Amino acid sequence: MQSNKRFLNFSIEHLRSSRQGLWFALDLVMLLLLTLNLFLIIVDSIYRLGATDELVGAYLPALSPSLEYLNRHFFFIDLCFVAIFLSEFCLRWAVSVKNSDYARWFYYPVIHWYDVVGCIPLSGARLLRFLRVFSIIHRLQKYRIIDVRQTAIYRFLMFYYEALLEELSDRVVIKVINGIQEDIRSDATLTRRAVEELVKPRLDRLLVSAKAVTGSIAGAMKSDVDHPFSEKLRTSVIAAMQNNAELKRLSTIPMIGEQLSDTLEEAVAEVVIDSIACLIDEFPELLKEDSLRASLRTGDASWDALDTILLSLIHDVLDFAKQQVATQKWKQQL
């Protein structure tokens, strides 16, 4: 908890382990020069506005000579800063090439384009020097010398950055879902097309997988009397036979009634288990029919009703998904 109270969580240990001491000192110098340069740019820009020199002369006459000197020699002063910035840029470029930080030697100025453009002594390009501040902070953050994530301004900016991303992504997702729902409403044969275009081309592989699964289940049911499926079936069959009135009469036969009833229950249970195991094992064969409708002997009306139910279900699921997407988490956090 104590470390969170330090400014930017500055870490001497990480500075030593990163072996970036000289670069850290250079970053501090460049940060100070950037701050001074940006300050002078802002002051000169304000002073160049109309009537500003008159206001300064009226209320702050002591600053007028300095501001006049800055205004007359600003281009030369700015070129001095540009020379320093270009020298630092070329030094880092050379070190990057030596360390093979990038795949090609010319990648460095492309990736750090803002440093190059910021050195152009034009009013619009000068403002890009502000990005060098973020470049330095990012470099220090990468080596864990500082930790800006603990600062209030970082949390503030990240909160609204994530809120903006959530707003944009939610609108995109909802638009996509609306498009899917419109396709479902306009195409009544969607489920049939899905079967023809998606399922049938993969049917052979699906059958192989289904055969492996059902064969494994069927084999386990036949060989393992304690298999969960077998145990459940056995319990259900025996319970049904015990509730059967005819079998109850059978158990009342003197001497052999109880034994005959128990034997019959076990035999019937095993027959049912073997029958269902065989049915499970042979189920993939049913899918090899040219038409599953024909194999199930079901009319077209039933399949049309099933298509309608499936499309309605898909539509409702997409509506539910839109409701979930529309829930804005950043508002809940506020």
Side-chain angles (χ1 to χ4, degrees):
M1 295 298 292
Q2 190 67 24
S3 61
N4 292 337
K5 297 181 180 179
R6 294 181 298 174
F7 179 69
L8 293 179
N9 275 358
F10 180 76
S11 174
I12 293 291
E13 295 79 7
H14 289 152
L15 176 59
R16 290 172 178 169
S17 63
S18 64
R19 298 181 180 179
Q20 297 290 313
L22 291 176
W23 292 113
F24 175 69
L26 179 60
D27 283 334
L28 287 182
V29 172
M30 296 305 300
L31 196 57
L32 291 174
L33 290 175
L34 277 170
T35 304
L36 178 59
N37 182 230
L38 291 171
F39 174 74
L40 293 178
I41 291 173
I42 294 173
V43 170
D44 181 68
S45 299
I46 294 175
Y47 189 74
R48 290 175 184 273
L49 296 176
T52 304
D53 54 344
E54 298 178 2
L55 291 174
V56 172
Y59 295 99
L60 298 169
L63 294 179
S64 292
S66 300
L67 293 175
E68 279 292 334
Y69 181 85
L70 175 66
N71 183 258
R72 288 196 306 269
H73 301 89
F74 177 77
F75 187 75
F76 175 75
I77 295 172
D78 189 61
L79 283 181
C80 294
F81 283 101
V82 169
I84 296 173
F85 295 152
L86 277 177
S87 300
E88 186 257 355
F89 177 81
C90 292
L91 175 63
R92 291 189 181 275
W93 188 3
V95 173
S96 174
V97 173
K98 179 182 177 182
N99 296 336
S100 300
D101 292 335
Y102 302 102
R104 296 290 186 272
W105 64 271
F106 54 85
Y107 281 6
Y108 186 86
V110 175
I111 294 174
H112 298 81
W113 60 270
Y114 47 86
D115 288 344
V116 178
V117 178
C119 289
I120 299 175
L122 298 176
S123 56
R126 290 190 186 108
L127 295 178
L128 289 177
R129 297 174 193 174
F130 188 70
L131 296 179
R132 293 173 65 97
V133 176
F134 294 100
S135 176
I136 293 172
I137 293 175
H138 172 72
R139 191 157 49 245
L140 297 177
Q141 175 75 28
K142 182 177 70 172
Y143 290 106
R144 298 188 297 171
I145 297 172
I146 63 173
D147 188 3
V148 298
R149 294 172 297 181
Q150 301 298 328
T151 59
I153 187 171
Y154 176 84
R155 293 195 296 268
F156 174 82
L157 293 176
M158 284 304 298
F159 175 79
Y160 285 101
Y161 171 73
E162 291 176 357
L164 176 63
L165 286 184
E166 184 178 358
E167 287 286 343
L168 294 176
S169 61
D170 287 353
R171 293 178 186 274
V172 171
V173 171
I174 290 176
K175 186 172 182 62
V176 171
I177 294 176
N178 284 333
I180 295 173
Q181 288 180 312
E182 184 63 31
D183 290 341
I184 292 174
R185 282 192 293 265
S186 61
D187 191 350
T189 63
L190 187 62
T191 53
R192 297 183 185 180
R193 285 179 52 210
V195 171
E196 292 291 333
E197 298 176 13
L198 301 178
V199 177
K200 282 192 174 181
R202 298 170 174 82
L203 192 56
D204 291 339
R205 285 179 289 173
L206 291 173
L207 290 175
V208 172
S209 299
K211 183 67 176 178
V213 173
T214 55
S216 176
I217 294 174
M221 290 178 65
K222 292 178 180 179
S223 60
D224 186 4
V225 294
D226 296 326
H227 191 277
F229 287 176
S230 302
E231 188 65 29
K232 185 65 177 178
L233 283 172
R234 185 179 293 103
T235 303
S236 299
V237 171
I238 292 176
M241 294 181 67
Q242 289 175 347
N243 293 328
N244 185 273
E246 298 297 328
L247 291 177
K248 286 182 179 179
R249 294 194 191 97
L250 183 63
S251 62
T252 60
I253 298 175
M255 302 293 292
I256 63 170
E258 289 291 339
Q259 183 178 359
L260 183 61
S261 178
D262 292 342
T263 304
L264 187 60
E265 289 174 0
E266 289 294 332
V268 173
E270 292 302 323
V271 170
V272 170
I273 291 172
D274 287 344
S275 299
I276 293 179
C278 291
L279 178 61
I280 292 175
D281 190 28
E282 295 174 0
F283 180 73
E285 298 296 327
L286 179 65
L287 300 179
K288 292 184 179 179
E289 296 288 338
D290 293 336
S291 172
L292 188 59
R293 304 183 187 197
S295 63
L296 296 178
R297 304 175 185 272
T298 304
D300 288 338
S302 300
W303 285 95
D304 291 340
L306 179 60
D307 288 347
T308 302
I309 293 172
L310 289 176
L311 292 175
S312 176
L313 176 61
I314 295 172
H315 194 276
D316 291 342
V317 169
L318 292 175
D319 274 334
F320 179 78
K322 285 197 297 186
Q323 294 174 6
Q324 291 297 111
V325 171
T327 303
Q328 296 169 319
K329 296 180 181 179
W330 67 270
K331 289 184 178 180
Q332 297 175 351
Q333 293 176 3
L334 282 178

